[in-house]
Amino acid sequence: MQFQQLLYFVAVAETRHFTRAAERVHVAQPSLSQQIKALERELGAELFSRARGNIALTDAGEALLPLARRILADADTARQEVQELAQLRRGRVRLGATPSMCTGLLPDVLRAFHAAHPGIELLIEESGSLDLVRELARGALDLALIVLPLPPSAPALTTVELLTEDLVVVSSAELPAPGEGGELTVSALRDEPMVMFRHGYDLRELTVAACRAEGFEPAFTVEGGEMDAVLGFVRAGLGVAVVPAMVGHGRPGLRTTPLAGSPLRRTIALAHRTDVAPPRAARELKRILVG
């Protein structure tokens, strides 16, 4: 049973005339008649009685008609759904981002995307870069804002660099400034108790690596938090933390101190799996992000 056979059958059933049905579906009348006969052979029953030139549905035809109409309607619905998705009227984007991107870059970008494509659902996962790379690898995200360079174990990802962030030291505004109150060097963190992110945050790996490069292991008073928790612990005076500048600046109860000497920076990139093309809506969001 073929789709066009059902289309021709419904046309004949509704017009009760083979020639007018052929005109309606834009096909030659002999071709339409042949397809109806082929359908009848496939089903093992006549669908129309053709007595004295009058076309009427048989019992088999009466049984098939509502089913055929439903199949054609479902096909039309499917066509419209695909067209709407292709034209960015419906769909979803699964985007992963580091906390600093969620509070800094993303709000304005997502506002612009939503204004242009209000029917697209935006699903945001906020996490550390290493976790986001793993989520991309298993297909749980379409796009992710991650930190370069990629870890050696990372899957094949296509990346586009977006920006470079300076890292700063945040401390409680109610306590004396760390160091001598001016710029800090990484080596000056040797004497500072630190609040540290959980494993999976690139900021943890970057901070620990920078301290080790200066010949010491950082001393943690609290570790294992997410971004908001870490900032809260710092505000409470439990220690200092290294965070992106866009996260630290302007936070009530927190002091921001630049890192001098060899300042810490990280590069943010937009990534997706190389072996899987992002959906149409995700490609549009990528276009806006890359600018």
Side-chain angles (χ1 to χ4, degrees), residues 105-286:
L105 174 68
L106 275 187
D108 288 342
V109 171
L110 296 185
R111 179 179 60 188
F113 180 84
H114 179 70
H117 310 292
I120 302 297
E121 181 183 8
L122 294 166
L123 303 177
I124 308 300
E125 178 168 336
E126 181 180 2
S127 192
S129 183
L130 298 179
D131 292 336
L132 296 176
V133 168
R134 285 191 286 268
E135 292 299 285
L136 280 173
R138 72 181 188 91
L141 296 173
D142 301 312
L143 302 170
L145 293 165
I146 63 171
V147 177
L148 297 180
L150 293 171
S153 60
L157 299 180
T158 298
T159 60
V160 179
E161 293 187 14
L162 296 183
L163 57 92
T164 298
E165 293 184 297
D166 287 327
L167 303 183
V168 298
V169 175
V170 289
S171 58
S172 173
E174 297 180 357
L175 297 177
E180 298 179 358
E183 289 186 333
L184 280 174
T185 61
V186 172
S187 60
L189 297 177
R190 181 193 306 267
D191 302 320
E192 297 291 338
M194 299 191 71
V195 177
M196 185 50 63
F197 296 93
R198 64 171 174 83
H199 289 282
Y201 265 64
D202 62 285
L203 288 169
R204 179 190 182 102
E205 311 304 326
L206 194 153
T207 302
V208 170
C211 292
R212 288 174 177 170
E214 294 295 326
F216 70 96
E217 289 288 329
F220 302 151
T221 53
V222 182
E223 62 175 313
E226 305 279 350
M227 178 64 74
D228 287 343
V230 165
L231 294 177
F233 296 149
V234 171
R235 189 180 297 110
L238 291 170
V240 302
V242 176
V243 301
M246 68 173 65
V247 171
H249 286 308
R251 295 265 183 166
L254 292 177
R255 178 192 299 107
T256 300
T257 305
L259 281 165
S262 299
L264 295 180
R265 294 188 175 93
R266 66 177 189 173
T267 299
I268 302 294
L270 183 64
H272 63 80
R273 283 176 53 175
T274 302
D275 62 337
V276 178
R280 177 68 181 88
R283 296 199 302 272
E284 177 63 14
L285 179 57
K286 177 181 178 180

Side-chain angles (χ1 to χ4, degrees), residues 65-85:
L65 183 59
L67 299 176
R69 283 172 169 162
R70 187 186 312 161
I71 292 171
L72 295 176
D74 288 345
D76 188 63
T77 299
R79 184 183 302 108
Q80 292 179 12
E81 291 282 343
V82 172
Q83 289 175 346
E84 287 179 347
L85 183 59

Side-chain angles (χ1 to χ4, degrees), residues 6-25:
L6 295 178
L7 181 65
Y8 297 167
F9 163 72
V10 171
V12 174
E14 291 180 348
T15 61
R16 301 300 171 102
H17 198 283
F18 277 75
T19 300
R20 286 198 293 270
E23 293 172 350
R24 174 171 161 178
V25 296

